[in-house]
Amino acid sequence: MELSAAFSLNDISKLPPPRCHELTGNRKGQFSVDLEHPYRLIFIPADDPLPVLPDGGLDWSGVTEIEIIEIADTH
């Protein structure tokens, strides 16, 4: 899978597939990649400390570890 070959979160395509994207609402801080519809792999960055940009946003190129939370149908 693309996740295992990536050096950082920035290496994962934001276009389908796998369409890596940050979630919002009650899942803020979590990320998702598409699996077989309707399922998604849900994960969080596991780097400590989290890499941040000067504006305070997450530096995707610095995320080198993730923790898988679940596989879910979030629709």
Side-chain angles (χ1 to χ4, degrees):
M1 175 175 210
E2 194 171 342
L3 284 173
S4 63
F7 290 107
S8 75
L9 192 56
N10 208 38
D11 295 334
I12 308 299
S13 176
K14 295 170 184 69
L15 302 173
R19 199 173 65 90
C20 183
H21 59 284
E22 191 166 1
L23 301 175
T24 59
N26 65 346
R27 289 191 176 264
K28 183 172 175 54
Q30 298 178 4
F31 290 77
S32 169
V33 292
D34 292 343
L35 300 175
E36 187 172 321
H37 185 75
Y39 297 103
R40 295 178 177 182
L41 180 75
I42 311 297
F43 62 93
I44 58 171
D47 297 89
D48 186 20
L50 285 177
V52 293
L53 298 169
D55 69 1
L58 182 66
D59 181 0
W60 286 43
S61 66
V63 176
T64 59
E65 297 181 34
I66 64 168
E67 177 183 335
I68 296 171
I69 297 173
E70 66 180 318
I71 294 174
D73 176 357
T74 59
H75 298 99

